[in-house]
Amino acid sequence: MRASFAAVFPGQGSQSVGMLSSWAESQPVIAQTFQEASAALGYDLWSIVREGPEAQLNRTEITQPAMLAAGVAAWRAWQAAGGPLPLCMAGHSLGEYTALVCAGSIDFADGVRLVAERGRLMQAAVPEGQGAMAAVLGLEDDVVRTVCAEASQGVEVAEAVNFNSPGQVVIAGSAAAVARASALLAERGAKRVVPLPVSVPSHSSLMREAAEKMARVLESVEIRSPTIPVLHNVDAAEHADPAALRAALVRQLHSPVLWVDSVRAMQARGAKALVEFGPGKVLAGLTKRIERDLSAYPVLDAATLEAAMTATKELV
């Protein structure tokens, strides 16, 4: 049974020590999912998620499998509760892998190992301190793009990489160029330019080398056509052929996340609501800024699961 909603999965940044721990007390599938992930990785991921330390959880190669496991755990809890199937799925950055696992395209253990390697390759691509990201609030997309091109000075990299909602764009690149762009964007009228506490310039062209290496890793894993359509970050479009899926995941590493386009594409497919599976409420919050008439519900504990179930039953 399908309902008129889309399932979405958050990316890096929504993690926190203790995430989903209280839910695990009443829902066995949460701990079971993390135990499966731990077995695939060869270390106790669930212990790090529950107890920290925070610095360890925030290491990219640990954050990514932790977030994938959290999204899959929430999805499995939804399935266990008899939740309806969505019209389609999408994930923000790393969350795209979670969507593909939940749609049956990638086995869970393979997905966990893939994103751990993805995190490692991303971290290794740019030396610590040489990359940067910043969130830009209150400017048109084209203004951000133009200013980034100016700040690059034809030598360094500063690019718009996450189009999260109208008036919220993330830029990334080399630290010096991002700093120049940030100052110029403030001069051009940005309400705020907020440096992000990361050194990996995700989704910028500085990730091309990591993407080339990730392409070889993806070739070693079986990828199937999803049983539920998944819309991809690079083009807000569905891909079914395994070769096309691999290509989209490779491009994703060094291309902008078109989240606004993705949300609108899901709405165009008939979605009247988005349900966010995993810790935090970032994507649910962005949804209202993108399309006011699109409802959004997080699923991160027993109470939010029940609320989202009640809401989506009305959409069947």
Side-chain angles (χ1 to χ4, degrees):
M1 180 175 62
R2 293 187 185 270
S4 301
F5 76 97
V8 296
F9 301 89
Q12 207 165 327
S14 291
Q15 75 276 3
S16 63
V17 173
M19 62 184 182
L20 306 192
S21 293
S22 60
W23 195 8
E25 294 173 8
S26 60
Q27 176 50 267
V29 76
I30 304 295
Q32 289 167 8
T33 299
F34 275 97
Q35 286 158 6
E36 284 181 46
S38 297
L41 293 167
Y43 63 83
D44 193 345
L45 180 66
W46 186 220
S47 175
I48 296 170
V49 167
R50 284 179 300 159
E51 303 165 13
E54 185 178 13
Q56 189 173 14
L57 178 61
N58 287 343
R59 286 170 50 194
T60 303
E61 69 273 19
I62 292 177
T63 304
Q64 295 202 25
M67 283 298 300
L68 185 141
V72 170
W75 172 251
R76 288 176 173 179
W78 174 267
Q79 291 180 302
L85 291 175
L87 295 174
C88 56
M89 293 180 164
H92 191 284
S93 187
L94 157 73
E96 190 167 293
Y97 283 82
T98 317
L100 288 167
V101 169
C102 293
S105 181
I106 299 173
D107 288 339
F108 176 54
D110 286 338
V112 167
R113 288 188 288 262
L114 277 174
V115 298
E117 183 64 6
R118 178 179 183 267
R120 191 190 69 77
L121 291 171
M122 290 172 68
Q123 187 65 65
V126 178
E128 187 78 26
Q130 292 188 20
M133 299 182 77
V136 182
L137 308 179
L139 285 179
E140 296 289 330
D141 294 353
D142 285 344
V143 174
V144 178
R145 289 189 185 98
T146 299
V147 170
C148 282
E150 293 176 18
S152 297
Q153 298 178 348
V155 179
E156 294 180 304
V157 172
E159 296 163 350
V161 297
N162 289 1
F163 296 92
N164 288 332
S165 69
Q168 186 186 128
V169 178
V170 174
I171 65 173
S174 54
V178 168
R180 284 195 299 271
S182 297
L184 288 169
L185 289 162
E187 291 175 11
R188 299 289 172 87
K191 291 179 182 177
R192 291 178 70 199
V193 181
V194 184
L196 300 180
V198 295
S199 63
V200 176
S202 303
H203 303 289
S204 75
S205 56
L206 292 176
M207 290 290 111
R208 283 189 180 276
E209 182 180 344
E212 290 169 5
K213 293 177 180 177
M214 193 67 198
R216 294 193 286 273
V217 176
L218 284 163
E219 285 296 334
S220 69
V221 172
E222 182 186 5
I223 296 181
R224 301 171 292 274
S225 295
T227 57
I228 299 168
V230 174
L231 274 61
H232 290 262
N233 289 183
V234 295
D235 53 12
E238 173 189 358
H239 299 284
D241 178 71
L245 290 167
R246 286 188 177 89
L249 290 172
V250 172
R251 287 175 55 206
Q252 186 224 54
L253 258 187
H254 62 84
S255 302
V257 174
L258 305 181
W259 192 250
V260 173
D261 291 349
S262 296
V263 170
R264 289 174 175 162
M266 288 184 274
Q267 187 180 40
R269 283 173 170 257
K272 297 175 183 175
L274 265 59
V275 178
E276 178 178 3
F277 293 90
K281 304 176 182 179
V282 170
L283 301 183
L286 291 176
T287 301
K288 302 305 292 182
R289 296 181 205 156
I290 297 169
E291 292 293 343
R292 291 182 182 276
D293 57 346
L294 200 56
S295 302
Y297 307 95
V299 173
L300 46 83
D301 55 27
T304 53
L305 171 67
E306 185 176 351
M309 288 273 291
T310 300
T312 53
K313 281 178 181 175
E314 298 175 3
L315 301 176
V316 174

